[in-house]
Amino acid sequence: MKVRGTWFFRALTSSAVLGLIPAVIAHGDDMNMEKGEADMPLPESEYPPTYFALPDHRAVIYGHIGLMVLAWVFMLPTAVMLSLARSRYTLASQFVFTMVNGVGVLLGTIYNASTPDLYPNNAHHKLGWVVTWVVGAQVMVGLLARVSGVLSHGVDRSHERQSFIPMSTEAMAEHESQYQPGYRLSNDSGQGTEPHTESLRSPSLSSGADSPTFPTRDGRKEYQEDTENEDLEAHLPVLSRPRAARSAIQKLAKLVSSRFWKFFTFGYDFVDRTILILGFVTLCTGIITFGRFFEGRGIFSGLAHWVKGGIFFWLGIFTLGRWAGSFGELGWAWNVRPKRPGQKWRPSAEFVESALIFTYGATNIFLEHLGNWGGEWSAQDLEHVSITVLFIGGGLFGMLVESVRIRDLLNVTVTKAVQDAPDQAYRDEERNELREPETYPFSMNPIPALVILLLGIMMSSHTQESMISSMVHKQWGQLLTGASFTRGLSYVLTYLKPPKSIYPSRPPTEILTSFGLISGGIIFMASASDTVSGMIHYELDAMFMYTVTMGLAGLLMAWIVMMVALKGWAVRRESGRAGLVR
């Protein structure tokens, strides 16, 4: 066993060294590159004016940028993690974010009114208002639901037909303290709702049957709506101090049917899980507007690079989240999926990655040629189409590899041979040969990593118009290649020793994979033609972008791990709070 382990680590070291050889050779090539005419900055009169170079009201625009980064990169993720954990601090964090974001919007509005419109009809202004209103609506839904739910314990007892909306155990304790011991809720049989009975000491954070209620417009749907509204408390944050809320909010909430509340909670959860991506898109459009990139037909080149780079960026965040333990309940954290009653099938993480690769290839096959739509197809256009075909084929193949039904069909000859064999063919000590391999429950699908590896290799050697553009493409190509190698090493580790615990196994190679994807995605976005032209004009070399990106990627990864830990802290605190109430 010791010899086998020594051999394995030698092979692992050799693979890592071989993986670094292309990067070393490429670095030597970079040193031999010489600048050409395309690397010379244009005269100031020929380069369009940008907000970046505009000297007017710099303090206002920098204040806007600083506040927006503070709000959307630091405050909003904190609020989202607390909301996902159903923490009682959610509304407070959302209010702080709303105030900071509001000041940032105000500064942006002042700046727009005080400066010329250098980028007419840009997407950032419109999208910024959309995401601001979306977050504002989410905060209002959370506030309305929590305040109205807590204050609704004062409903008149004459309403004998009501449907339930669950409340927190803290609100239930407050309810008990304000009513006489003999009082019980409408439609309650009295079984277990008196103080200190088993029903009130349920281990859950909320309970549907012993909660304050909302009156509905149709009392005949009482019991049907009661079952539909089970555990609605788990979908919205808890407000721990609702006494200062106005009675108008309570009256407004009573006009809303419980069916609409179910719709609102779905929308609330949907915003929780998508608002960070929308915020990322908004920040990207802000950078584009600030630098005045991708005007006219340049939008297609910008989309091709920024969409692809953004996908790799978020894939890196997803990979780091898996390493940290996110999605462990689905078995995506390199762990054994915990068993639950009535457990249903869920796709593997590699199946999701393959599906995204396939979808991206199918929807972007002609995106690069749109910049020259109606003209002749160039060799570069055909190269990009070939890459999207690779995404389509690789994604489809990856989904087939992940399919359990396809695997069963591939095993049908062996299965049939076993079925045709007599029972005496295998002795008792040989019965283990009839079991599935230990690796079957875990996904070891190298196809997504192979697609990314090939993309990195191709783009590292992709011919560009300028030396700086070639270097930038080579940088993110090498980073994606390195991420693919480390993902392959993760599969080697998993194959040699499959996870046997429900806790995340956290392969160390996945940290490197995440770093390569995040930093490679950022540099991918910076390799668009207009972005490179801006670097040339302002005399920023490729290594400047590389070093800044490495630093940002490291800080971002630390912040992501802190956010996942914050969610765990909030979940543990709320669980402990519920235990104290019990």
Side-chain angles (χ1 to χ4, degrees):
M1 188 68 184
K2 184 177 180 180
V3 175
R4 181 184 177 187
T6 304
W7 173 87
F8 167 69
F9 283 110
R10 286 180 179 176
L12 196 65
T13 305
S14 301
S15 301
V17 172
L18 290 174
L20 292 175
I21 289 177
V24 174
I25 297 175
H27 182 71
D29 293 341
D30 291 344
M31 297 299 293
N32 296 327
M33 287 185 178
E34 295 182 359
K35 290 186 178 182
E37 293 183 1
D39 296 293
M40 297 294 106
L42 295 173
E44 195 67 33
S45 58
E46 297 183 15
Y47 197 81
T50 65
Y51 290 110
F52 178 77
L54 190 67
D56 303 333
H57 307 284
R58 284 185 177 272
V60 178
I61 188 60
Y62 288 147
H64 169 76
I65 294 173
L67 288 176
M68 286 306 181
V69 171
L70 177 64
W72 289 89
V73 178
F74 295 98
M75 292 184 176
L76 183 62
T78 301
V80 169
M81 291 299 107
L82 293 175
S83 179
L84 292 175
R86 314 307 176 203
S87 172
R88 60 186 181 275
Y89 302 118
T90 300
L91 282 174
S93 61
Q94 288 176 336
F95 283 145
V96 173
F97 162 78
T98 302
M99 289 187 294
V100 175
N101 182 68
V103 177
V105 170
L106 178 62
L107 291 179
T109 304
I110 294 174
Y111 184 78
N112 290 335
S114 305
T115 56
D117 189 2
L118 301 181
Y119 202 140
N121 200 30
N122 67 80
H124 179 65
H125 295 163
K126 304 179 184 66
L127 188 59
W129 283 111
V130 170
V131 295
T132 297
W133 283 109
V134 167
V135 176
Q138 184 198 29
V139 174
M140 290 305 299
V141 168
L143 174 64
L144 182 65
R146 292 282 63 80
V147 172
S148 61
V150 172
L151 294 181
S152 62
H153 59 65
V155 175
D156 191 283
R157 290 187 60 182
S158 63
H159 293 276
E160 290 295 325
R161 291 178 179 174
Q162 300 174 359
S163 64
F164 298 107
I165 182 167
M167 289 306 305
S168 65
T169 49
E170 181 182 4
M172 193 64 234
E174 179 182 349
H175 170 88
E176 292 174 0
S177 65
Q178 295 186 14
Y179 286 98
Q180 298 177 0
Y183 178 84
R184 58 182 172 88
L185 298 175
S186 316
N187 300 325
D188 191 355
S189 64
Q191 179 71 24
T193 55
E194 289 77 20
H196 310 297
T197 60
E198 188 65 29
S199 175
L200 294 181
R201 288 173 304 198
S202 172
S204 61
L205 285 175
S206 61
S207 173
D210 34 89
S211 306
T213 61
F214 280 125
T216 60
R217 299 181 181 181
D218 187 358
R220 293 173 296 178
K221 298 180 181 179
E222 161 192 300
Y223 298 106
Q224 178 183 356
E225 292 184 348
D226 179 39
T227 57
E228 291 177 353
N229 285 308
E230 289 291 331
D231 295 331
L232 279 179
E233 169 71 16
H235 294 282
L236 290 170
V238 178
L239 182 65
S240 59
R241 294 293 181 267
R243 294 185 177 88
R246 297 178 182 270
S247 60
I249 299 180
Q250 177 190 8
K251 295 178 181 179
L252 177 62
K254 290 180 181 179
L255 299 177
V256 180
S257 167
S258 59
R259 291 185 182 274
F260 281 102
W261 275 117
K262 192 173 184 180
F263 171 77
F264 288 153
T265 55
F266 172 81
Y268 185 97
D269 286 343
F270 181 79
V271 171
D272 258 349
R273 287 159 175 79
T274 57
I275 192 60
L276 293 180
I277 297 178
L278 288 176
F280 171 77
V281 174
T282 306
L283 288 176
C284 288
T285 57
I287 296 172
I288 293 171
T289 303
F290 193 59
R292 199 175 174 181
F293 301 136
F294 314 132
E295 289 185 295
R297 287 186 174 270
I299 183 63
F300 301 113
S301 173
L303 285 175
H305 286 80
W306 284 58
V307 171
K308 292 176 186 176
I311 289 175
F312 286 120
F313 174 82
W314 280 97
L315 181 59
I317 293 178
F318 173 73
T319 301
L320 182 60
R322 289 179 61 191
W323 176 88
S326 300
F327 312 104
E329 68 278 7
L330 302 177
W332 291 5
W334 307 91
N335 65 319
V336 177
R337 183 185 177 188
K339 294 183 179 180
R340 296 178 179 178
Q343 185 167 277
K344 298 181 181 179
W345 174 85
R346 291 292 184 271
S348 65
E350 280 71 14
F351 183 91
V352 175
E353 292 177 356
S354 300
L356 291 176
I357 289 174
F358 173 81
T359 303
Y360 177 79
T363 55
N364 291 270
I365 188 167
F366 298 115
L367 182 61
E368 193 74 24
H369 183 64
L370 289 177
N372 190 30
W373 191 255
E376 294 183 358
W377 284 75
S378 64
Q380 191 175 21
D381 290 337
L382 294 176
E383 288 179 11
H384 288 97
V385 170
S386 300
I387 292 175
T388 57
V389 172
L390 169 66
F391 274 59
I392 294 174
L396 180 60
F397 185 33
M399 288 189 288
L400 292 176
V401 171
E402 289 300 305
S403 173
V404 177
R405 293 185 179 181
I406 295 296
R407 185 181 66 190
D408 292 341
L409 292 176
L410 296 177
N411 292 341
V412 69
T413 54
V414 177
T415 305
K416 189 175 184 303
V418 173
Q419 292 174 348
D420 293 341
D423 295 338
Q424 296 79 10
Y426 289 89
R427 296 188 298 269
D428 292 341
E429 59 270 17
E430 297 176 336
R431 289 290 174 180
N432 289 335
E433 298 177 6
L434 301 177
R435 297 179 180 178
E436 291 184 344
E438 293 182 353
T439 57
Y440 266 33
F442 307 100
S443 176
M444 300 182 195
N445 186 353
I447 301 302
L450 176 63
V451 172
I452 296 175
L453 171 66
L454 294 176
L455 177 65
I457 294 174
M458 287 185 291
M459 299 311 295
S460 293
S461 57
H462 196 39
T463 303
Q464 302 295 324
E465 296 180 356
S466 65
M467 181 269 290
I468 292 181
S469 181
S470 297
M471 290 182 64
V472 173
H473 276 78
K474 186 164 293 185
Q475 287 170 357
W476 67 257
Q478 293 170 2
L479 288 168
L480 295 187
T481 300
S484 301
F485 271 114
T486 53
R487 170 57 64 87
L489 293 177
S490 298
Y491 290 137
V492 172
L493 294 174
T494 306
Y495 184 83
L496 293 175
K497 191 174 182 180
K500 297 181 180 179
S501 171
I502 63 172
Y503 293 100
S505 58
R506 297 192 176 92
T509 49
E510 284 302 286
I511 299 178
L512 303 179
T513 303
S514 173
F515 182 84
L517 290 172
I518 291 175
S519 55
I522 296 175
I523 298 180
F524 195 153
M525 297 167 68
S527 65
S529 58
D530 281 11
T531 314
V532 172
S533 298
M535 294 172 59
I536 294 173
H537 179 75
Y538 294 108
E539 299 181 352
L540 303 175
D541 59 10
M543 287 308 299
F544 170 82
M545 179 62 65
Y546 191 81
T547 53
V548 170
T549 300
M550 297 303 104
L552 289 177
L555 290 175
L556 180 62
M557 291 176 67
W559 179 243
I560 291 171
V561 173
M562 289 176 61
M563 288 296 96
V564 177
L566 175 65
K567 179 187 174 184
W569 172 84
V571 170
R572 177 178 294 178
R573 188 174 180 85
E574 293 303 317
S575 300
R577 179 166 164 261
L580 291 176
V581 173
R582 293 197 301 270

